[in-house]
Amino acid sequence: MTRSTRQRERQAETETEDDEREGVRGCPECDSENLVKSADRGELICEDCGLVVEEENIDPGPEWRAFNHAERQQKSRVGAPTTQTMHDKGLTTTIDWKDKDAYGRSISSKKRSQMHRLRKWQERIRTKDAGERNLQFALSEIDRMASALGVPRSVREVASVIYRRSLAEDLIRGRSIEGVATSALYAACRKEGIPRSLEEISEVSRVNRKEIGRTYRYVSQELALEMRPVDPKKYVPRFCSELTLSEEVQSKANDIIETTAEKGLLSGKSPTGYAAAAIYAASLLCNEKKTQREVADVAQVTEVTIRNRYQEQIEAMGIHG
């Protein structure tokens, strides 16, 4: 008897604690569960009888109000998201170059010179040692080359991560910073499915093609990047766009690449040269003729390469030129 009473009391206490933990379930006045939270006053109100069930709740939102996206962007005081493309991941303070105060008014010449000095020292103290300065230089090189190549931001992020991994594994010792940065960008382009040839990369880089290739092979092997061979079809849309060829030619070039690759012609061949030859063959078949010289200039291969690949492809397709 005593034991069952104690059990009931404990059960009642547990239920009360659970109710307190879960908060108010319904209105104490009309037992309605139709409760709404007032965002501007931080109150919990019953929609049926109007009773204020809870008040002075903590509002986790901002203290300002915005009615459209532009106002929200203007009033928001949070910083930009972190990024791997900056040596400090974008977490340091930046002093604006505009010589104006918080109200948009021009500041005095004395304040202007003071802000100039602060800005200069801010830039100096952003890097604490030589390692950070080298990282800053390498990431700025990646950003410069990526801009020149016209690749998206995702490629820059991946390239920065690859470079940081190379730095952590001490792969840069004995190699140039520019060489490792360029090879990281080349690897990122291949990883993201936006391949750029070594010739294109070397045009925007400060190191030669041979060093880029050598450093890339070393970095990809040491970091186990597991790079797949580049699909020639990835080059077709870009080359066709630069040659102002139609969708029909692009589709036909892709068909030629697929058919001939299945017969084993692609093995050991340069993907850019293979894609260029397929585009040349497709332009002839679709009556949108382009010269071998024009296609070779866009693909950055020789006319001899295009002629050799073209002959192989049309023979495999059973077409007699």
Side-chain angles (χ1 to χ4, degrees):
M1 183 87 175
T2 313
R3 186 177 293 173
S4 61
T5 309
R6 282 177 184 168
Q7 283 177 347
R8 280 199 298 272
E9 284 174 359
R10 282 176 188 166
Q11 191 176 352
E13 283 174 11
T14 310
E15 285 175 2
T16 309
E17 284 174 6
D18 289 345
D19 287 345
E20 286 175 359
R21 225 178 272 127
E22 289 175 16
V24 181
R25 287 181 181 174
C27 175
E29 190 71 31
C30 63
D31 294 327
S32 170
E33 292 187 2
N34 197 9
L35 305 177
V36 290
K37 199 167 190 176
S38 172
D40 54 345
R41 294 189 179 184
E43 295 174 340
L44 193 66
I45 304 165
C46 175
E47 273 203 322
D48 294 342
C49 67
L51 179 75
V52 178
V53 181
E54 280 186 4
E55 57 184 342
E56 295 181 1
N57 284 334
I58 296 171
D59 181 13
E63 85 287 357
W64 45 262
R65 293 191 299 168
F67 302 99
N68 55 46
H69 179 69
E71 278 189 22
R72 202 173 294 110
Q73 289 291 98
Q74 188 179 359
K75 291 182 177 181
S76 178
R77 293 189 295 272
V78 295
T82 56
T83 173
Q84 297 289 338
T85 58
M86 298 175 75
H87 77 284
D88 50 20
K89 299 185 182 177
L91 294 172
T92 55
T93 307
T94 306
I95 301 173
D96 197 6
W97 58 270
K98 296 173 186 172
D99 293 319
K100 292 184 178 180
D101 62 10
Y103 300 100
R105 297 183 298 232
S106 294
I107 57 177
S108 64
S109 58
K110 186 179 178 182
K111 282 279 183 187
R112 203 176 298 130
S113 60
Q114 186 183 359
M115 292 307 296
H116 175 70
R117 285 196 303 275
L118 284 170
R119 204 177 291 120
K120 184 169 68 178
W121 277 104
Q122 173 66 17
E123 282 299 312
R124 285 178 182 175
I125 63 171
R126 279 182 70 185
T127 51
K128 62 180 181 183
D129 54 26
E132 280 199 5
R133 279 196 297 277
N134 290 341
L135 179 61
Q136 186 182 32
F137 171 68
L139 296 179
S140 66
E141 274 293 290
I142 289 171
D143 200 51
R144 179 189 65 78
M145 291 184 289
S147 297
L149 290 168
V151 294
R153 185 149 195 89
S154 61
V155 174
R156 303 178 195 198
E157 290 281 348
V158 173
S160 302
V161 170
I162 291 170
Y163 184 85
R164 284 174 185 273
R165 284 184 62 194
S166 303
L167 189 64
E169 295 287 331
D170 202 24
L171 304 181
I172 300 168
R173 191 182 297 276
R175 288 169 183 81
S176 69
I177 293 169
E178 293 98 327
V180 179
T182 309
S183 64
L185 181 60
Y186 177 65
C189 287
R190 289 185 62 169
K191 273 262 185 202
E192 291 294 289
I194 310 169
R196 293 290 185 268
S197 65
L198 279 172
E199 286 77 15
E200 289 175 287
I201 296 280
S202 61
E203 276 186 4
V204 298
S205 175
R206 293 193 174 100
V207 291
N208 59 46
R209 181 184 181 280
K210 194 174 180 180
E211 189 183 339
I212 296 167
R214 188 168 58 241
T215 310
Y216 162 73
R217 285 191 295 272
Y218 173 71
V219 168
S220 60
Q221 185 180 355
E222 290 295 319
L223 297 180
L225 295 178
E226 295 179 4
M227 292 293 183
R228 293 181 180 179
V230 178
D231 186 356
K233 287 192 287 185
K234 298 275 188 185
Y235 292 103
V236 171
R238 186 158 57 91
F239 291 170
C240 284
S241 175
E242 289 183 34
L243 290 163
T244 60
L245 292 167
S246 64
E247 288 282 334
E248 186 189 357
V249 175
Q250 189 173 319
S251 178
K252 188 68 180 173
N254 284 329
D255 290 342
I256 291 169
I257 290 168
E258 277 182 18
T259 308
T260 54
E262 283 172 7
K263 295 181 180 181
L265 261 70
L266 180 56
S267 180
K269 307 292 193 304
S270 163
T272 49
Y274 205 85
I279 291 167
Y280 175 67
S283 69
L284 294 178
L285 293 169
C286 298
N287 294 319
E288 293 185 38
K289 191 177 185 306
K290 293 286 179 183
T291 64
Q292 290 178 2
R293 178 76 265 161
E294 287 175 305
V295 180
D297 286 342
V298 167
Q300 294 186 329
V301 294
T302 63
E303 292 173 63
V304 177
T305 302
I306 291 180
R307 275 197 294 276
N308 292 341
R309 297 295 87 79
Y310 167 71
Q311 288 296 331
E312 291 169 4
Q313 287 172 359
I314 61 168
E315 281 174 20
M317 295 280 289
I319 304 166
H320 300 287

PDB file of all heavy atoms in Angstrom, residues 50 94 124 275 301:
ATOM      1  N   GLY A  50      -7.355  35.129 -26.360  1.00  0.00           N
ATOM      2  CA  GLY A  50      -6.516  36.329 -26.299  1.00  0.00           C
ATOM      3  C   GLY A  50      -5.661  36.444 -25.058  1.00  0.00           C
ATOM      4  O   GLY A  50      -5.017  37.477 -24.833  1.00  0.00           O
ATOM      5  N   THR A  94      39.058  44.252 -41.817  1.00  0.00           N
ATOM      6  CA  THR A  94      39.491  45.015 -42.984  1.00  0.00           C
ATOM      7  C   THR A  94      39.059  46.464 -42.814  1.00  0.00           C
ATOM      8  O   THR A  94      37.889  46.725 -42.514  1.00  0.00           O
ATOM      9  CB  THR A  94      38.867  44.445 -44.279  1.00  0.00           C
ATOM     10  OG1 THR A  94      39.173  43.058 -44.353  1.00  0.00           O
ATOM     11  CG2 THR A  94      39.416  45.150 -45.509  1.00  0.00           C
ATOM     12  N   ARG A 124      50.129  45.029 -42.608  1.00  0.00           N
ATOM     13  CA  ARG A 124      51.411  44.454 -42.175  1.00  0.00           C
ATOM     14  C   ARG A 124      51.222  43.375 -41.115  1.00  0.00           C
ATOM     15  O   ARG A 124      51.906  42.355 -41.140  1.00  0.00           O
ATOM     16  CB  ARG A 124      52.321  45.554 -41.624  1.00  0.00           C
ATOM     17  CG  ARG A 124      52.925  46.437 -42.716  1.00  0.00           C
ATOM     18  CD  ARG A 124      53.776  47.533 -42.106  1.00  0.00           C
ATOM     19  NE  ARG A 124      54.335  48.415 -43.125  1.00  0.00           N
ATOM     20  CZ  ARG A 124      55.034  49.515 -42.865  1.00  0.00           C
ATOM     21  NH1 ARG A 124      55.269  49.863 -41.596  1.00  0.00           N
ATOM     22  NH2 ARG A 124      55.501  50.266 -43.842  1.00  0.00           N
ATOM     23  N   ALA A 275      39.796  15.766 -78.846  1.00  0.00           N
ATOM     24  CA  ALA A 275      38.571  16.570 -78.937  1.00  0.00           C
ATOM     25  C   ALA A 275      38.615  17.486 -80.150  1.00  0.00           C
ATOM     26  O   ALA A 275      37.611  17.641 -80.868  1.00  0.00           O
ATOM     27  CB  ALA A 275      38.397  17.392 -77.660  1.00  0.00           C
ATOM     28  N   VAL A 301      46.912  22.897 -80.055  1.00  0.00           N
ATOM     29  CA  VAL A 301      47.641  21.713 -80.510  1.00  0.00           C
ATOM     30  C   VAL A 301      48.144  21.997 -81.929  1.00  0.00           C
ATOM     31  O   VAL A 301      47.783  23.004 -82.529  1.00  0.00           O
ATOM     32  CB  VAL A 301      46.754  20.439 -80.506  1.00  0.00           C
ATOM     33  CG1 VAL A 301      46.371  20.053 -79.090  1.00  0.00           C
ATOM     34  CG2 VAL A 301      45.501  20.629 -81.355  1.00  0.00           C
TER      35      VAL A 301
END
